[in-house]
Amino acid sequence: MEQIENRAETGSQTLATSIASRLRAQITGGDIPPGEKLRLDDLRASFGVSLSPLREALSRLSAEGFVVMEDQRGYRVAPVSENNLLEVTKLRSEIESFALRESIRLGNDKWESELVASQYRLSKLEKTEPDSGRLAEWENAHRELHQKLLSACHMPLLLQFCATLHDLSDRYRRLFLEDHPIDRDVSQEHDNIVRATLERRADDACAMLKVHIERTGNNVLAALMQRRTPQAATASAQAAAERV
């Protein structure tokens, strides 16, 4: 009986993980817009699951910052705001730089060759004119390169946190890329970061990675302030009221 219960629990957890992954991708990709109400009945029908794994998945996404739990009112996609973007950008610049320093210290030849391969795939995409299909490929290759830079740090919890921050940042970057082509300077930044990493120049590589993340964050912030979505405007007003 205990084994059956354990298998059932494991199956439920696996299902919740799958649901969370699919919802995270939809939120990050903008398919479910910021601030939208997440109706359990609609989601249950869409995924063909019971409430238990669905609630577990939403609880995980809430802990990661993608979903907001509302007392007695269910769940809503986390809104976007200037303050949240600044926080995510600051955390990414500090934590990814730490992880990169550890990767440079501990990385081996296999890690170096995989990093070079990731850079090559991204570089090919950056030389083509972006369209909707290419943009999705670029996002995947860009994420892979950043993950590979950090992957030799041998700290699973750190890598998990970096991945969450990258996904949170993706929502904002895609708002910017919706109306702007990929910045041509990004390719050179990637080349410089990878070169410094392979040459084990940790101080230079970490400094350049920080600038890379912060510059993108500043570009997205400028675009976000121009667009002033209702969610961002509301969040900014609330934050300003709290500072008074």
Side-chain angles (χ1 to χ4, degrees), residues 23-24 26-39 43 57-70 74-85 87-88 164 167-172 175 224 229-236 238:
L23 278 174
R24 187 187 301 108
Q26 291 175 4
I27 293 170
T28 302
D31 298 320
I32 308 178
E36 180 162 313
K37 178 80 171 178
L38 295 171
R39 294 176 173 79
L43 291 174
L58 290 170
S59 294
R60 293 185 191 182
L61 294 176
S62 176
E64 293 175 3
F66 295 99
V67 169
V68 176
M69 297 180 65
E70 300 179 320
Y75 302 85
R76 189 178 298 276
V77 175
V80 295
S81 72
E82 294 156 24
N83 285 343
N84 181 251
L85 171 59
E87 180 181 5
V88 169
T164 297
D167 286 340
L168 290 169
S169 179
D170 264 355
R171 280 212 304 164
Y172 288 97
L175 282 174
L224 183 59
T229 64
Q231 294 87 356
T234 299
S236 297
Q238 291 174 347

Side-chain angles (χ1 to χ4, degrees), residues 7-238:
R7 284 198 296 270
E9 182 178 351
T10 300
S12 178
Q13 291 296 313
T14 301
L15 184 56
T17 299
S18 175
I19 295 169
S21 179
R22 291 169 63 184
L23 278 174
R24 187 187 301 108
Q26 291 175 4
I27 293 170
T28 302
D31 298 320
I32 308 178
E36 180 162 313
K37 178 80 171 178
L38 295 171
R39 294 176 173 79
L40 294 181
D41 288 342
D42 292 344
L43 291 174
R44 185 174 59 175
S46 175
F47 290 112
V49 297
S50 64
L51 279 177
S52 179
L54 180 57
R55 288 186 183 276
E56 172 63 25
L58 290 170
S59 294
R60 293 185 191 182
L61 294 176
S62 176
E64 293 175 3
F66 295 99
V67 169
V68 176
M69 297 180 65
E70 300 179 320
D71 293 339
Q72 307 301 320
R73 290 183 293 174
Y75 302 85
R76 189 178 298 276
V77 175
V80 295
S81 72
E82 294 156 24
N83 285 343
N84 181 251
L85 171 59
L86 289 170
E87 180 181 5
V88 169
T89 301
K90 180 64 174 177
L91 286 172
R92 276 197 69 201
S93 68
E94 294 295 333
I95 293 174
E96 286 194 21
S97 296
F98 171 73
L100 177 58
R101 188 176 295 275
E102 290 299 296
S103 275
I104 291 173
R105 184 173 69 87
L106 300 171
N108 56 20
D109 290 345
K110 181 175 183 294
W111 168 69
E112 289 186 0
S113 64
E114 291 173 350
L115 178 57
V116 170
S118 294
Q119 180 197 16
Y120 176 74
R121 284 191 289 271
L122 181 60
S123 179
K124 284 184 65 178
L125 290 170
E126 288 174 332
K127 292 175 182 176
T128 62
E129 289 300 322
D131 55 33
S132 58
R134 285 289 184 178
L135 183 55
E137 289 184 62
W138 183 90
E139 288 285 355
N140 291 333
H142 180 253
R143 178 187 176 85
E144 179 188 336
L145 177 64
H146 275 264
Q147 287 180 329
K148 189 57 62 179
L149 281 165
L150 315 180
S151 62
C153 71
H154 301 311
M155 295 184 183
L157 290 177
L158 177 61
L159 290 175
Q160 182 179 347
F161 190 33
C162 287
T164 297
L165 288 172
H166 190 100
D167 286 340
L168 290 169
S169 179
D170 264 355
R171 280 212 304 164
Y172 288 97
R173 184 171 65 248
R174 289 179 184 186
L175 282 174
F176 173 70
L177 291 178
E178 247 180 41
D179 303 318
H180 298 74
I182 295 173
D183 190 330
R184 306 312 298 184
D185 291 337
V186 168
S187 179
Q188 188 61 54
E189 289 179 11
H190 289 147
D191 290 348
N192 292 340
I193 292 168
V194 171
R195 184 179 302 109
T197 297
L198 294 173
E199 293 174 358
R200 308 291 171 147
R201 292 186 284 115
D203 289 344
D204 290 340
C206 291
M208 286 187 284
L209 179 61
K210 278 190 173 185
V211 170
H212 173 69
I213 292 171
E214 290 168 357
R215 188 176 69 83
T216 302
N218 289 336
N219 287 341
V220 177
L221 179 62
L224 183 59
M225 291 176 68
Q226 287 177 357
R227 293 176 60 174
R228 303 297 294 180
T229 64
Q231 294 87 356
T234 299
S236 297
Q238 291 174 347

